[in-house]
Amino acid sequence: MNEILLKVENLHTSFFSDSGEVKAVRGVTLSLEEGKTLGLVGESGCGKTVTALSIMQLLPNNAKISPSSRILYKGKDLLKLSQEEMRLVRGREIAMIFQEPMTALNPVFTIGEQIREALELHSNLGKKKAMDEVVKLLELVGISEAQKRIKDYPHQLSGGMRQRVLIAMALSLNPSLLIADEPTTALDVTVQAQILELISNLQNKNKIAIILITHDLGVVAERVDFVGVMYAGAIVEYASTKDLFELPLHPYTKALLDAIPKIGGKDKKLNTLKGSVPPLTQLPKGCIFYERCVSADSKCIQAQPELIEVRKGHWAACIKI
């Protein structure tokens, strides 16, 4: 059994604005072993990206993490580190592939300059050696004519190429943990498969632990070891991928799986999940999924159910289980 690399305990992250407190992440607890992949799934606005940004300490000024929260990386609480200490962790130890490569890359600098910057900041490489390393990284992620490409600007590259650049940047310092936030968004199916295969190969080669944020349950089924299903800022189900797909417990998880098109089901009406995620400034008293749940009754509005271990290694937050 591999050692626990990351352990998040009771994570609460809120944003404060004129409209009040937005409880974006509520009581998230999860762990990740070395070399394993954890998938975070759920609808947009459920807190997946904010959970990742909380780990990376890349939140805006109006955000606050509760003092009771802990984010343990290799046994060290990241929330107790100074800004300077966190900068040494960010990039070198924990790296992130952001959701939209066009906005994540600076349009006025070449891709070579942007990757080289991280290498120079976190290593003793000179400018020439750092740029040689950039070429090797671009070749590693499958970019042809890397020596020429280092002089290109982001707008000169396709979406798939920009995503490869972000992967090269994230892996430039050989991190132990990689957070991939929707790494295949807006890419066609062929390029999606190439990007995911690339990440998987690099993970196996370097024994990297990965947190994969995605809406695509097909990707989760193929690429992930454990799954955390998030709804309205909280994890409502947590299990191994095998257990989650074979025996989903929470009504929200079941609804997500039912909405996947089935082979041979072209004549059947595709199931949909009615309604939307409740406003995070006005969360209901009882179960947060109550208004959209087909199995809900009066007991469900009395109190929010706790995430409990229903079976060994399989957790769910529902009083109906």
Side-chain angles (χ1 to χ4, degrees):
M1 185 176 178
N2 295 336
E3 292 186 11
I4 298 295
L5 182 69
L6 177 74
K7 194 171 185 180
V8 178
E9 298 178 348
N10 194 34
L11 178 62
H12 288 265
T13 303
S14 295
F15 296 92
F16 295 87
S17 66
D18 294 338
S19 302
E21 180 182 0
V22 179
K23 299 178 181 179
V25 176
R26 302 178 302 108
V28 165
T29 295
L30 53 86
S31 62
L32 180 60
E33 296 178 8
E34 294 177 340
K36 297 294 184 180
T37 302
L38 167 68
L40 291 181
V41 302
E43 295 166 279
S44 296
C46 283
K48 305 183 299 297
T49 296
V50 177
T51 298
L53 294 176
S54 297
I55 295 170
M56 293 290 290
Q57 301 285 293
L58 288 174
L59 296 165
N61 292 332
N62 68 330
K64 183 179 180 181
I65 297 177
S66 168
S68 63
S69 304
R70 294 209 305 167
I71 301 174
L72 302 174
Y73 172 75
K74 293 183 177 180
K76 183 187 300 183
D77 191 348
L78 299 182
L79 298 179
K80 293 182 179 179
L81 300 184
S82 66
Q83 285 295 322
E84 189 58 36
E85 289 172 326
M86 191 61 207
R87 285 192 189 99
L88 295 176
V89 172
R90 195 185 299 122
R92 179 184 292 177
E93 295 281 344
I94 306 174
M96 186 167 179
I97 302 171
F98 294 92
Q99 185 169 352
E100 177 45 62
M102 196 59 200
T103 56
L105 293 169
N106 193 321
V108 301
F109 291 100
T110 65
I111 60 170
E113 290 172 319
Q114 294 185 61
I115 301 174
R116 191 195 72 211
E117 181 184 24
L119 287 168
E120 289 191 71
L121 285 173
H122 290 279
S123 67
N124 295 322
L125 294 176
K127 186 175 181 179
K128 176 66 170 60
K129 288 186 176 180
M131 193 58 81
D132 289 341
E133 190 64 28
V134 170
V135 173
K136 292 178 183 178
L137 284 164
L138 293 180
E139 290 173 345
L140 179 67
V141 298
I143 293 181
S144 59
E145 298 183 306
Q147 191 68 53
K148 294 181 180 179
R149 289 294 187 180
I150 58 175
K151 299 177 183 179
D152 285 349
Y153 290 87
H155 73 272
Q156 295 176 284
L157 304 178
S158 67
M161 295 280 273
R162 288 194 294 266
Q163 196 63 279
R164 290 173 189 269
V165 170
L166 285 183
I167 295 171
M169 190 180 297
L171 297 175
S172 61
L173 297 167
N174 195 25
S176 299
L177 172 61
L178 176 65
I179 301 174
D181 188 2
E182 293 283 356
T184 58
T185 296
L187 301 178
D188 63 60
V189 176
T190 303
V191 178
Q192 282 185 27
Q194 292 173 353
I195 294 296
L196 291 169
E197 190 64 29
L198 170 63
I199 293 173
S200 180
N201 290 338
L202 293 171
Q203 177 183 30
N204 293 333
K205 181 180 178 181
N206 300 319
K207 296 183 180 179
I208 302 170
I210 294 177
I211 296 177
L212 177 64
I213 298 171
T214 181
H215 292 96
D216 193 333
L217 291 172
V219 170
V220 169
E222 292 182 5
R223 309 278 178 177
V224 165
D225 298 302
F226 298 92
V227 188
V229 182
M230 294 192 70
Y231 185 75
I235 290 181
V236 295
E237 188 162 358
Y238 185 90
S240 69
T241 305
K242 184 176 183 292
D243 285 350
L244 189 88
F245 278 81
E246 288 185 355
L247 186 63
L249 299 176
H250 197 279
Y252 180 59
T253 308
K254 294 177 183 178
L256 291 178
L257 294 173
D258 286 343
I260 300 174
K262 306 294 190 298
I263 296 176
K266 62 181 181 179
D267 297 327
K268 296 181 181 179
K269 186 177 179 181
L270 186 64
N271 292 323
T272 58
L273 179 56
K274 296 180 180 179
S276 58
V277 181
L280 298 179
T281 53
Q282 302 173 6
L283 292 170
K285 177 184 176 182
C287 175
I288 51 178
F289 191 58
Y290 169 76
E291 293 185 355
R292 305 173 73 187
C293 182
V294 295
S295 304
D297 58 29
S298 58
K299 294 181 181 178
C300 297
I301 61 173
Q302 294 177 8
Q304 290 189 19
E306 294 183 4
L307 188 69
I308 60 171
E309 191 172 20
V310 181
R311 301 188 302 161
K312 184 174 176 58
H314 196 151
W315 301 68
C318 179
I319 64 170
K320 293 284 188 176
I321 301 170

